[in-house]
């Protein structure tokens, strides 16, 4: 009993002494931090995504206030408004930032895809991709275990019904965290407003690609040939769209109609409408041709 | 002579990291490059020496007279944690350059077992004040030696062709095991 009381007393006294010393030291050794750092930090979106290259929003705020060489427009989620604000606060000139969103470059639904094997293990794409490159037949495609969706600091990615991730373009800030974490590198960052996108990541050619996925880019190059502005190029048997040329010049996406597998998809409302028009025109032309042929055949008879 | 034995014993024979396997978290975490590990070694040595001195005072003048030796672990934890906090504040204010070098390591040390182990062994062995200081400096240098050795090896390993399955921590564990085996050679020296 005596000892118990002693313990309580000694611990309390020691704790109290240290507490007081620390409190006193906190006063004596306090350092004045530039209040601007806190103001700048308040302005930042606080997703702590690290897209700026610093450990977090606080670290970036400190760097941008203290170091004259750090650009005020490094915050990618904040886009232009935040860059302008930060530039205003720190007295620097904001550089132009191009707003971007994540683009999932795989359209091979998990439920319908061909499987190499049955994966039973940790529900994580990185873990799954370590086992023979993942259970999916296509070695370049989305594994669909949602690692990207879990990594999104802005809740802009979720797994759709077909097992593929879906980007919420309103919420997506373009920080690129998902693009870094995806073990298959199927998430690219595309400028907002791209008309069309090659929704495939397969570097296989022709039959090899088609065997494992019906909507794969087979590297045939028809889209590249059809594009009047040379916006599409083939790289490693995969079509790449130069979004800048596409957005600036093109309002008649011929490439959509040419693609034999449907790997190029319209992304904006306008492009979808244009696609429908092109498709109808093509169908009409085909019907006319057929009619002419039939007529000729009739005459010959 | 007694001090010499104690010192050598702490540095190599009973090296805290490679013989007693304490402080492995920072040993693996901060041994990726040489300059960081040297900074960590210095920080640990300094904190360990100062906190052991403080612990000796508290142990001999507060705990023993009150018959509370069994409370030493709890008291030392409290003591080290607050002391590191205090040290951090002082360094931050008085020597910002030193803080930039050590600052990030100080908080890692605050809850580290190796810093707690020295006061505990001091209490168990009934060392005198001067012996405690020598023992603490020896242990700190022993830690610095181990982590610097490890960091130099890991820097070399970066250029080596490591099998993919062993990359990173895997090869580091093997390396630590080999270093520990080498340090086994010192046992029996005193």
């Amino acid at each position: 009993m005596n000892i118990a009381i002693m313990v309580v007393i000694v611990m309390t006294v020691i704790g109290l002494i240290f507490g007081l010393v620390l409190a006193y030291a906190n006063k004596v050794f306090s350092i004045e931090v530039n209040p601007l750092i806190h103001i700048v930090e308040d302005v930042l979106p606080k997703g702590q995504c690290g897209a700026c290259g610093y450990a977090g929003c606080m670290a970036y705020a400190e760097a941008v206030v203290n170091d004259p060489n750090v650009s005020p427009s490094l915050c990618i989620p904040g886009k232009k408004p935040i860059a302008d604000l930060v530039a205003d606060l720190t007295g620097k000139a904001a550089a132009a930032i191009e707003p971007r969103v994540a683009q999932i470059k795989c359209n091979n639904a998990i439920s319908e895809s061909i499987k190499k094997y049955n994966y039973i293990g940790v529900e994580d794409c990185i873990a799954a991709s370590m086992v023979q490159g993942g259970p999916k037949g296509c070695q370049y495609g989305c594994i669909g275990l949602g690692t990207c969706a879990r990594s999104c600091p802005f809740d802009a990615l979720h797994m759709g019904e077909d097992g593929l991730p879906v980007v919420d373009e309103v919420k997506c800030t373009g920080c690129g965290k998902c693009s870094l974490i995806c073990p298959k590198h199927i998430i690219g960052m595309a400028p907002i407003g791209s008309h069309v996108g090659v929704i495939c990541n397969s570097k296989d050619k022709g039959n090899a690609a088609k065997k494992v996925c019906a909507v794969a880019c087979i590297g045939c190059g028809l889209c590249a040939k059809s594009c009047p502005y040379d916006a599409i190029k083939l790289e490693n048997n995969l079509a790449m769209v130069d979004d800048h040329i596409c957005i600036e010049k093109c309002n008649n996406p011929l490439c959509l109609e040419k693609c034999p597998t449907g790997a190029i998809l319209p992304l904006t409302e306008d492009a979808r409408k244009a696609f429908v028009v092109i498709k109808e025109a093509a169908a009409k032309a085909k019907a006319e041709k057929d009619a002419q042929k039939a007529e000729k055949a009739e005459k010959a008879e | 002579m007694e001090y010499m034995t104690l010192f050598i014993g702490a540095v190599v024979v009973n090296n805290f990291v490679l013989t007693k396997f304490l402080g492995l978290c920072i040993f693996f975490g901060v041994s990726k490059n040489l300059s960081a590990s040297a900074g960590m070694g210095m920080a640990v040595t300094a904190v360990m020496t100062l906190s052991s001195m403080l612990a000796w005072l508290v142990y001999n003048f507060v705990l023993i007279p009150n018959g509370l030796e069994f409370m030493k672990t709890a008291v030392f934890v409290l003591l080290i944690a607050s002391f590191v906090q205090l040290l951090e504040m002082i360094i931050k204010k008085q020597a910002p350059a030193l803080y930039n070098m050590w600052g990030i390591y100080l908080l890692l040390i605050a809850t580290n077992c190796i810093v707690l182990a020295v006061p505990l062994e001091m209490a168990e062995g009934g060392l005198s004040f001067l012996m405690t200081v020598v023992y603490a400096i020896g242990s700190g240098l022993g830690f610095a030696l181990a982590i610097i050795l490890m960091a130099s090896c890991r820097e070399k390993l970066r250029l080596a062709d490591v099998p993919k399955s062993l990359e990173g921590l895997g090869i580091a564990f093997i390396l630590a095991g080999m270093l520990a085996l080498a340090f086994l050679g010192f046992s029996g020296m005193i």
Side-chain angles (χ1 to χ4, degrees), chain A residues 10-285:
Chain A
V10 168
M11 285 301 278
T12 318
V13 170
I14 292 179
L16 210 64
I17 290 174
F18 279 123
L20 287 176
V21 168
L22 279 183
Y24 179 69
N26 202 13
K27 268 265 157 63
V28 173
F29 297 110
S30 69
I31 293 169
E32 279 173 33
V33 184
N34 190 345
L36 191 57
I37 292 175
H38 291 292
I39 298 173
V40 171
E41 199 216 348
D42 273 346
V43 165
L44 296 172
K46 289 195 213 49
Q48 315 292 356
C49 66
C52 52
Y54 291 88
C57 295
M58 184 69 203
Y60 176 55
E62 235 181 88
V64 80
V65 170
N66 290 332
D67 188 345
N69 294 327
V70 175
S71 156
S73 39
L74 291 182
C75 182
I76 292 169
K79 305 211 175 74
K80 202 172 167 359
I82 301 286
D84 286 345
L85 264 175
V86 174
D88 249 16
L89 286 169
T90 55
K92 295 174 181 173
I97 321 181
E98 181 185 60
R100 298 183 308 166
V101 285
Q103 189 181 70
I104 312 291
K105 291 189 190 167
C106 181
N107 201 15
N108 187 3
I110 301 297
S111 47
E112 291 163 23
S113 67
I114 295 162
K115 287 213 162 45
K116 262 193 286 201
Y117 62 87
N118 200 8
Y119 175 77
I120 300 170
V122 187
E123 287 283 302
D124 183 89
C125 301
I126 298 169
S129 75
M130 283 177 184
V131 188
Q132 292 279 311
K136 203 172 200 180
C138 173
Q139 60 162 319
Y140 303 100
C142 173
I143 301 174
L145 294 176
T147 298
C148 52
R150 283 190 293 276
S151 81
C152 180
F154 299 98
D155 198 24
L157 263 177
H158 62 95
M159 302 310 285
E161 270 172 25
D162 55 359
L164 298 172
V166 180
V167 181
D168 183 337
E169 289 195 9
V170 179
K171 281 186 187 166
C172 179
T173 60
C175 73
K177 215 171 180 186
C178 49
S179 154
L180 286 178
I181 208 165
C182 175
K184 295 290 179 190
H185 311 294
I186 63 153
I187 307 182
M189 306 307 299
I192 288 178
S194 304
H195 297 316
V196 298
V198 181
I199 308 300
C200 181
N201 188 38
S202 168
K203 277 119 191 152
D204 280 340
K205 197 173 165 73
N207 237 354
K210 219 166 174 187
K211 223 181 240 169
V212 286
C213 172
V215 288
C217 171
I218 55 174
C220 64
L222 282 178
C223 51
K225 274 176 215 154
S226 76
C227 180
Y229 308 104
D230 285 334
I232 305 181
K233 289 206 167 57
L234 275 187
E235 259 174 54
N236 295 327
N237 300 321
L238 181 60
M240 297 278 183
V241 180
D242 186 326
D243 292 296
H244 297 115
I245 301 180
C246 203
I247 293 173
E248 277 164 26
K249 296 186 177 165
C250 181
N251 49 18
N252 186 22
L254 284 170
C255 48
L256 293 173
E257 201 259 327
K258 289 288 178 200
C259 183
T261 55
I264 303 189
L265 289 178
L267 297 178
T268 54
E269 224 21 75
D270 289 344
R272 260 175 229 132
K273 273 181 203 154
F275 184 32
V276 171
V277 173
I278 292 170
K279 242 182 169 173
E280 275 171 5
K284 224 181 193 175

Side-chain angles (χ1 to χ4, degrees), chain A residues 6-7 10 25 29-31, chain B residues 66 68 75 86 90 92-94:
Chain A
M6 235 13 237
V7 168
V10 168
F29 297 110
S30 69
I31 293 169
Chain B
N66 291 312
L68 294 175
V75 172
L86 183 67
I90 295 175
K92 205 171 182 177
K93 177 82 175 179
Q94 302 296 343

